[in-house]
Each structure stands twice: as structure tokens, then as C-alpha cells.
Amino acid sequence: MMLLKKGPSPQTATNKSAGATSGRLRETAPPPAFAPSRAYPPLTWSRPSVARSFADGLGVISRAMGAAVLLVATLVGIGLVIALLMTTVVRALGVDASSGY
């Protein structure tokens, strides 16, 4: 029940009173000053120009177009492989697909 009491504990109270009667106050060390672990250079940036913006935009567009061309080429290649596999299977089964035309 004594642990739930919100006041100072009897032990703490006796320690404070013993320190006060002896005339010595316990000095605490000041907290250490904040010192950054790394020294970073100041932030600087260049002013944007129309030419730089245009060049950046072209770079983004060219990467997007390159990715789109690569995607389309991959899909066409996959389609050709599937068509060749289907033709091989149909021909192996003995069906002549050109007779229906």
C-alpha cells in the first residue's frame, strides 16, 4: 500500500533532510552541450533555367519512351513464342490449320 502513495518515499525524505542538515548540497553535472556528430556543408542550389528544365524533361521523356518500347517489344516476343508453340502442338496432333481457308 505504501508503494501506491504519490508523495516522496520515506527514504528519499530522510536523504534530503540529511543532506540539508550537513550543509552540503549535492551538485549535479550540467547536461552535455549539443554537439552534432557530423558537420554538414550549407545547403545550396542553383537557380533553375529554361534550358535545364527542358533538358530534365527530355531525360524523363526519353526514359519513359525507352521503357515503353522495351515493354512492347517484350510483349510482341512473348506473343510470337506462344504462336510458335501453338502451331507446333497443332501440327504435332496432325491437324492442318491451312485447310480451313
Side-chain angles (χ1 to χ4, degrees), residues 34-40:
F34 175 75
S37 60
R38 297 181 185 169
Y40 294 105

Side-chain angles (χ1 to χ4, degrees), residues 2-91:
M2 292 295 282
L3 294 176
L4 299 176
K5 192 168 115 179
K6 292 197 176 203
S9 68
Q11 185 180 14
T12 308
T14 56
N15 287 344
K16 286 182 182 176
S17 64
T21 56
S22 66
R24 290 181 289 148
L25 293 176
R26 188 182 294 181
E27 292 186 27
T28 59
F34 175 75
S37 60
R38 297 181 185 169
Y40 294 105
L43 295 175
T44 58
W45 56 87
S46 60
R47 291 190 175 269
S49 65
V50 174
R52 183 67 186 164
S53 300
F54 185 71
D56 288 343
L58 282 180
V60 170
I61 290 171
S62 65
R63 281 191 299 254
M65 288 300 294
V69 167
L70 185 64
L71 178 69
V72 168
T74 303
L75 291 176
V76 168
I78 290 172
L80 285 173
V81 168
I82 291 172
L84 287 173
L85 286 175
M86 288 177 60
T87 304
T88 304
V89 169
V90 168
R91 190 166 287 175

